[in-house]
Amino acid sequence: MSLLIKNGEIVTASERYVADILCENDTITHIDKNIPAPKGAKAVDAKGKFIFPGFIDPHVHVYLPFMGTFAKDTYETASKAALVGGTTTIIEMCCPPRADDLFKGFEFWMKNAAGKSACDFTFHMGVSKFDDKTEKQLREIVKRGVSSFKIFLAYKGAFGVDDTELYRTLKLARELGVIVTAHCENETLIAERQKELLATGKTDPGQHYESRPPQVEAEGVNHLMSFAELTGAAVYIVHLSCREALAQAIAARQRGVRVSVETLIQYLTLDKTYAERRGFEGAKYVMSPPLRDKSNQPVLWNGLRDGLVQTVATDHCPFDFKRQKVMGKNDFTKIPNGIPSLEDRINVLYTYGVKAGKIDLHTFVNCASTQAARTFDLFPRKGTIQPGADADLVVFDPDYRGRISARTQHVNVDYNVFEGWKIEGRPSVVTVRGEIAVREGTFVGKIGRGKFLQRKPSHF
Ligand code: URP
Ligand code: ZN
Ligand code: ZN
């Protein structure tokens, strides 16, 4: 089976040129000018379009048991949404709650995804406790092709680890060459502030921010940095939202800590005033860490531009507004935390980042694809366009004009935080290992085509 993409402008993290791309079976086999079409090849005319490597979202939740409910996507809905939005690989947080067996959790998450995804996928293995069995189980999970862990410094009792568990996880990761992704917020500060706010009758969604101000996140980052420094483990800060937290990461990097930083499309474009909206509307915008003051946005955009922030993810975590967010109607601490955005990350990043002049095209590709591939042991199979790489390609139409709406989205949730926002450009054709999965906003792929991506640790 072959596919020939003609005359597109190929853009990677470092190159930009016009050429044809020949894909045979799963792989890019040839890139050149005027490649003759092999007999029986499908052809796509990409004149006037960009061709980007398939985008990678390194932080999503498809299934997440959390705050008394569940994130509501399935692999079918999430992978369709990802592909329509140009994301061809997702890395899901496999998060067995502390009370559950870690290995059974891994098998459960795998069963949930295998054979049901239209895009490729892998997991960060959540370590929600470190007991007698954990080390053996983690060694086995790494052997099965998972080369990154996930730990939470917040959400104690659910997923959060204590300092002994944190230290042991990082030591093991260091030995195995595994990178540890981490949610950094100080749990004690959050719990105390939540109590104080509720005691004074402050129950609305806007109070979520007050319970988790920037210092709470910066303290979490500093905490992780100290442990990473002492163990030598490579770490990756998920969903970094503010200048105070970034300053801690940069200071640690200067001391030699191996740390990468992820921010989210939400922090780049939304701010805390959304969560202050009246009539409980603000609950749609409650996530952790919270949306910040707008003055943080240039810090994050400039961080991407200057290489201080490596990736843009979504932390996609879909909870319905009407049936799930409403659980926190009279108490903001009970609003399920999460803002879905898997489908919109690329279009919003392109429109409000590239078109707005905040980042260039190479930075766009780098932070939404290449860096995630490099950090999580997928490069050069994913994250670039070159012979031998998987033929995951996004033919992107820069002339498309449209608006985002929950009415037309594929994610399984009843709202969209970017409702009505203009987009300038979108994927017109998306391929998964050489097969067309999307045409002009319509999913035409196959459920079950998505593969589990085995990865080998590299962070020794
Ligand atoms: O609010 C958030 N971020 N929800 C998803 C769980 C997590 O912390 O990543
Ligand atoms: Zn988190
Ligand atoms: Zn998350």
Side-chain angles (χ1 to χ4, degrees):
M1 189 196 66
S2 51
L3 173 71
L4 182 62
I5 304 182
K6 300 276 305 169
N7 294 315
E9 189 171 359
I10 297 168
V11 183
T12 68
S14 54
E15 291 181 299
R16 184 171 176 172
Y17 57 101
V18 174
D20 301 343
I21 303 176
L22 179 63
C23 313
E24 291 172 296
N25 300 317
D26 285 7
T27 312
I28 296 171
T29 53
H30 192 37
I31 304 175
D32 209 340
K33 300 255 185 212
N34 304 316
I35 300 177
K39 212 168 160 213
K42 273 192 192 157
V44 170
D45 177 14
K47 198 167 176 5
K49 310 228 168 44
F50 294 125
I51 307 184
F52 300 126
F55 292 102
I56 300 171
D57 192 335
H59 183 172
V60 306
H61 302 275
V62 177
Y63 169 74
L64 184 71
F66 189 38
M67 298 185 75
T69 186
F70 299 86
K72 319 190 30 241
D73 264 316
T74 62
Y75 259 83
E76 181 165 341
T77 57
S79 63
K80 276 186 189 171
L83 286 167
V84 169
T87 294
T88 53
T89 296
I90 57 175
I91 312 185
E92 189 191 6
M93 298 293 174
C94 170
C95 294
R98 194 174 168 83
D100 294 358
D101 182 75
L102 191 105
F103 199 80
K104 284 197 182 126
F106 172 67
E107 290 181 320
F108 178 86
W109 255 263
M110 184 65 95
K111 201 160 159 251
N112 212 28
K116 295 172 192 150
S117 183
C119 68
D120 287 352
F121 63 92
T122 175
F123 303 110
H124 301 300
M125 185 61 220
V127 183
S128 47
K129 62 178 168 225
F130 202 102
D131 63 16
D132 296 348
K133 290 198 279 182
T134 308
E135 182 175 331
K136 198 163 165 241
Q137 292 183 331
L138 287 174
R139 286 181 189 276
E140 178 58 29
I141 289 166
V142 172
K143 273 196 203 136
R144 293 196 186 193
V146 173
S147 63
S148 47
F149 296 159
K150 169 71 185 287
I151 48 136
F152 291 89
L153 303 188
Y155 312 140
K156 290 263 158 65
F159 307 119
V161 289
D162 65 27
D163 282 351
T164 308
E165 293 169 321
L166 172 62
Y167 187 69
R168 289 182 183 167
T169 305
L170 291 175
K171 268 185 68 173
L172 181 65
R174 171 75 176 113
E175 182 203 320
L176 298 176
V178 158
I179 188 165
V180 179
T181 71
H183 175 133
C184 298
E185 286 184 299
N186 182 300
E187 175 68 23
T188 308
L189 288 172
I190 297 165
E192 289 303 306
R193 293 178 70 86
Q194 284 179 336
K195 272 188 238 155
E196 285 164 11
L197 288 159
L198 292 176
T200 53
K202 295 183 171 160
T203 60
D204 60 283
Q207 303 305 321
H208 180 70
Y209 174 90
E210 302 303 331
S211 69
R212 309 168 102 106
Q215 296 89 332
V216 166
E217 185 182 345
E219 202 291 320
V221 170
N222 181 44
H223 198 82
L224 179 76
M225 294 302 95
S226 305
F227 280 66
E229 192 169 5
L230 288 170
T231 56
V235 292
Y236 174 95
I237 300 166
V238 299
H239 52 42
L240 184 134
S241 71
C242 61
R243 68 162 70 72
E244 292 83 348
L246 182 59
Q248 294 296 337
I250 293 169
R253 204 176 271 153
Q254 286 170 342
R255 310 197 291 274
V257 175
R258 294 188 292 164
V259 55
S260 303
V261 172
E262 165 195 284
T263 192
L264 305 182
I265 192 63
Q266 296 93 317
Y267 300 133
L268 289 164
T269 56
L270 303 167
D271 62 68
K272 73 199 260 287
T273 60
Y274 286 83
E276 292 161 2
R277 288 185 172 180
R278 288 172 179 277
F280 199 59
E281 179 76 7
K284 291 178 181 171
Y285 303 88
V286 166
M287 68 173 300
S288 295
L291 297 178
R292 298 301 186 191
D293 187 88
K294 211 172 175 46
S295 62
N296 288 282
Q297 290 176 357
V299 176
L300 298 176
W301 284 114
N302 295 341
L304 289 168
R305 186 195 63 195
D306 298 340
L308 301 174
V309 177
Q310 279 65 50
T311 57
V312 176
T314 59
D315 191 10
H316 177 72
C317 197
F319 296 110
D320 271 345
F321 177 60
K322 289 204 182 104
R323 272 166 297 168
Q324 295 177 294
K325 291 276 184 183
V326 78
M327 291 160 64
K329 184 88 184 150
N330 301 312
D331 176 352
F332 71 91
T333 67
K334 297 196 166 61
I335 300 170
N337 288 196
I339 300 182
S341 54
L342 175 60
E343 195 160 346
D344 304 309
R345 175 183 65 134
I346 295 307
N347 293 340
V348 173
L349 188 63
Y350 180 80
T351 305
Y352 297 90
V354 178
K355 291 286 288 184
K358 296 193 166 91
I359 53 171
D360 67 18
L361 268 183
H362 300 295
T363 305
F364 167 68
V365 172
N366 197 35
C367 69
S369 178
T370 314
Q371 279 297 327
R374 286 187 184 281
T375 308
F376 298 118
D377 308 316
L378 291 166
F379 190 86
R381 180 176 173 191
K382 307 288 189 190
T384 194
I385 298 177
Q386 65 182 47
D390 280 358
D392 297 346
L393 298 164
V394 176
V395 180
F396 191 89
D397 179 2
D399 297 324
Y400 176 82
R401 296 290 178 270
R403 284 185 191 271
I404 294 172
S405 175
R407 275 179 286 108
T408 49
Q409 70 191 6
H410 296 78
V411 284
N412 185 27
V413 67
D414 66 356
Y415 74 102
N416 190 311
V417 288
F418 304 113
E419 187 69 41
W421 284 32
K422 276 191 193 150
I423 50 165
E424 300 186 12
R426 74 163 184 192
S428 77
V429 170
V430 178
T431 68
V432 176
R433 283 178 282 103
E435 274 191 19
I436 295 177
V438 174
R439 278 189 190 276
E440 309 306 337
T442 301
F443 175 75
V444 295
K446 285 194 200 100
I447 297 300
R449 169 137 179 89
K451 277 211 278 213
F452 170 64
L453 300 169
Q454 294 222 332
R455 301 179 289 133
K456 280 209 181 91
S458 65
H459 295 275
F460 291 100

